[in-house]
Amino acid sequence: MSWLDLPAGTGFGPENLPFGVFSTPGTAPRTGVAIGDSVLDLAAATADPVHATGSLNAFMAQGPQAWAALRQQLTRWFTDQRHRGSVEPHLMPRADVTMHLPVEVADYVDFYSSETHAANLGRMFRPDSEPLTPNWKHLPIGYHGRAGTVQVSGTPVVRPAGQRRAPTDEAPTFGPSQRLDIEAEVGFVVGTPSALGTRVPVEDFADHVFGVCLVNDWSARDLQAWEYVPLGPFLGKSFLTSVSPWVVPLAALESARVAPPARDPQPLPYLDDGAHPWGLDITLEVRLNGELISCPPFRELYWTAAQQLAHMTVNGASLRTGDLFASGTVSGPARDQRGSFIELSWGGKEPLPLADGSTRTFLQDGDVVSISATAPGPDGTRISFGEVTGRVEPTP
Amino acid sequence: MSWLDLPAGTGFGPENLPFGVFSTPGTAPRTGVAIGDSVLDLAAATADPVHATGSLNAFMAQGPQAWAALRQQLTRWFTDQRHRGSVEPHLMPRADVTMHLPVEVADYVDFYSSETHAANLGRMFRPDSEPLTPNWKHLPIGYHGRAGTVQVSGTPVVRPAGQRRAPTDEAPTFGPSQRLDIEAEVGFVVGTPSALGTRVPVEDFADHVFGVCLVNDWSARDLQAWEYVPLGPFLGKSFLTSVSPWVVPLAALESARVAPPARDPQPLPYLDDGAHPWGLDITLEVRLNGELISCPPFRELYWTAAQQLAHMTVNGASLRTGDLFASGTVSGPARDQRGSFIELSWGGKEPLPLADGSTRTFLQDGDVVSISATAPGPDGTRISFGEVTGRVEPTP
């Protein structure tokens, strides 16, 4: 289908075409498109300055017609032999480039839309109450995170220090987090803004969302547990959120759309997605130091990203180009589908056995966590999201 | 002291010199400095392009030495008759200019540092628990708000719609908020960024914070009450946060510094501010449709902004130029010192009597709320913060 010699089973075929921001030694960051093991220098290939700004924001702000037109052009370039001569000079090995944060993040919102995850955390954080709070099945619960600490995959994870109080302690103590954790999530990037005082209904989702990336919402569970009542997580999360360098266009995920789970009770009309199902059959893989430890199933999430967007704006809050909203930890019902160590080790009480015979509860200094994901593409192809990775470094 | 003919008792004398962004019909927004009833066109007067960018961020990023140097120059200009000829042509009446959002807001954090306010809200939201949560006196509780909906004073307050569930309701209903409220706060604007993985100790506060403004954190109490467990306020706050157009330099508040309240228990060492007391004697005034209804005393806040900044970064979270962090609602112990209607009307149960014989619990469409503030300046002068105002409009 393509004149390119693509690796067998690549998730970066011409049906994917994810966008990122890259540089080579001595050059400025600019927009690229991943194809096979290569990256196309879009700034050079198109000579369009919108792709030379060092983030995807300017192009994302052009809106869905511009996104579709460029995608069509890229497909032509990569599948029609006649374009080979003009396109090939702008390809370079992905192994040779440095990837940067793809998006200048405006606001970052983190949702909490996996029923399994929310119930697991409820059991651990609030053992004397119902696992799900009374509002959980009525609205996609979410909160704002720190946009300034959203960083690209590969950024070191400096173990945060802070206050924590063990149940046996009278007063809090200060020191490095002893319960450093991950949250395996999927993130959605807003391209088209909306006006203050207006709403974005479920059916307008694809007019506003440009693409999808992977998110690791690093979490210090001991800091979080002590601080989060009554205003929510703050320092337990704000030290770092990592995102994958490649943003997969929403248009590449048409073949991955599935019906979301049935909801009971029926959500309020503004959250009714019956005619616009945006379940997505994305399977995540979580690796600790190279060992596969979990495969969280995104398709089982109770609330879809389209519902999250409708909820986030139903009060008239505006969207900006570069807004990032994440799904919340993706966890399935099986143990090897859990998207965080607090769930994998059940609050540290059931250490996770590893292939080398050791066990793990929470992250140790030096640990490397990588989250990757794939989804079905058209005609039996596979769409890869690449990966988001980070290595834990000791508190300075 | 100044060659200008300043109005008697102006809070905008040469000891204040707050920065804002203004325009006149047909001109681009640029930086100005308020002096008396005038604004100095700083872009024109200095011919420095940093003041022609349409926000204070570029100048704020230059750091405390640049801030001090410009402040010294402005003081010279306004107090030395010899500069009159060159400065006066760049003055225009403040009444003739349009003010814009002064800062491109990076991250917005809202704290919760008035003990009276936190205890009042605790009594109303969690009547079966202690008013203050166990963590409250150990750390300045805060959360991230929506930076994209921080708007300049005067922006209409469109009543948000959303989910709410009255105690008597089985299921939530959808509609315009019936408990629209204000929060009278003081905001701190970060100029100097910090690196990821490092901390900003209490003593470095003035190296990072450029100035101070007023904040009205509009709040929909019914939406908030239904949504906020377990991840904190979201749609109940994200529809709008208003800020005053003038940012008072921290350097103008030296005479306003006071000792903060005694803390018991003693905070952890990273929050010890004994050698760096940043209590500020700012008195707020809240007006409803022109009538003074409350005078919240900022000096009584339990946690200072210097402690808030140290806490916010103790986990290694970085700062960006344009970060805004607000104090949380300022409430004093007397009824006429409360900074929100939920407190002034005690959850709606004790309607607030107004001068025209009517009463108010929460805001009605058409209501105008203005918050202003002053602090003592040097030599018996007064520093004004101007005001932040907004008029409530019906849900569309």
Side-chain angles (χ1 to χ4, degrees), chain B residues 186-188 205 209 211-213 248-261 263 273 276-284 296-301 303-306 308 327 330 374-376 385:
Chain B
V186 174
F188 294 79
F205 175 66
V209 168
V212 184
C213 63
V248 173
L250 201 62
L253 298 173
E254 270 304 318
S255 302
R257 288 182 68 173
V258 291
R263 280 72 169 234
D273 66 342
H276 307 276
W278 271 103
L280 288 169
D281 185 16
I282 303 171
T283 301
L284 285 73
F298 185 80
R299 63 179 296 156
E300 295 183 17
L301 258 63
W303 300 107
T304 70
Q308 292 168 345
S327 57
V330 182
T374 58
F385 291 79

Side-chain angles (χ1 to χ4, degrees), chain B residues 17-219:
Chain B
L17 305 177
F19 291 81
V21 172
F22 78 100
S23 66
T24 49
T27 69
R30 56 202 182 275
T31 300
V33 171
I35 181 83
D37 292 337
S38 302
V39 56
L40 175 73
D41 182 336
L42 203 58
T46 62
D48 184 342
V50 79
H51 301 303
T53 56
S55 90
L56 304 183
N57 291 47
F59 173 60
M60 295 196 303
Q62 293 184 348
Q65 290 183 319
W67 311 339
L70 179 58
R71 184 169 171 81
Q72 204 168 24
Q73 185 182 40
L74 288 168
T75 304
R76 247 185 345 256
W77 282 2
F78 288 130
T79 55
D80 185 336
Q81 180 75 26
R82 286 171 298 179
H83 293 289
R84 179 168 185 167
S86 56
V87 171
E88 206 161 27
H90 301 299
L91 291 172
M92 58 197 81
R94 284 204 276 135
D96 293 353
V97 305
T98 300
M99 298 305 298
H100 302 267
L101 186 64
V103 171
E104 209 176 309
V105 179
D107 270 300
Y108 165 50
V109 166
D110 195 21
F111 283 95
Y112 190 58
S113 290
S114 158
E115 182 174 354
T116 303
H117 171 73
N120 283 344
L121 271 277
R123 284 189 192 97
M124 286 184 268
F125 274 66
R126 296 173 295 279
D128 303 328
S129 313
E130 284 291 310
L132 293 179
T133 49
N135 52 11
W136 201 91
K137 291 204 165 180
H138 293 280
L139 53 82
I141 291 177
Y143 68 101
H144 286 91
R146 191 164 186 82
T149 52
V150 176
Q151 304 284 326
V152 72
S153 173
T155 302
V157 188
V158 179
R159 182 182 297 273
Q163 294 194 26
R164 55 281 204 288
R165 193 184 74 168
T168 50
D169 291 347
E170 174 128 351
T173 57
F174 181 87
S177 170
Q178 292 160 0
R179 292 163 75 93
L180 182 60
D181 198 356
I182 65 161
E183 295 201 328
E185 309 195 12
V186 174
F188 294 79
V189 180
V190 172
T192 310
S194 70
L196 193 67
T198 67
R199 306 174 189 178
V200 177
V202 168
E203 58 264 31
D204 288 356
F205 175 66
D207 291 338
H208 288 271
V209 168
F210 171 77
V212 184
C213 63
L214 303 178
V215 176
N216 189 342
D217 179 32
W218 305 94
S219 299

Side-chain angles (χ1 to χ4, degrees), chain A residues 107 126 135 138 142-144 146-148 161 163 172 226 228-232 234-235 238-239 270 311 315 318 320 323, chain B residues 107 135 138 142 144 146-148 161 163 172 226 228-232 234-235 238-239 268 270 311 315 318 320 323:
Chain A
D107 270 300
R126 295 173 296 278
N135 51 11
H138 292 281
Y143 68 101
H144 286 91
R146 191 163 186 82
Q163 294 193 28
W226 171 233
Y228 90 105
V229 176
L231 299 186
F234 186 35
L235 299 191
S238 66
F239 55 99
Y270 80 93
H311 183 64
N315 68 344
S318 47
R320 290 183 294 170
D323 281 348
Chain B
D107 270 300
N135 52 11
H138 293 280
H144 286 91
R146 191 164 186 82
Q163 294 194 26
W226 171 232
Y228 91 105
V229 176
L231 300 186
F234 185 37
L235 298 191
S238 65
F239 56 98
L268 282 161
Y270 80 93
H311 183 63
N315 68 345
S318 47
R320 289 182 294 172
D323 281 348

Side-chain angles (χ1 to χ4, degrees), chain A residues 351-374:
Chain A
L352 181 72
L354 299 174
D356 66 2
S358 70
T359 62
R360 191 70 89 257
T361 51
F362 293 94
L363 292 174
Q364 298 180 356
D365 291 346
D367 277 348
V368 175
V369 177
S370 297
I371 303 167
S372 57
T374 57

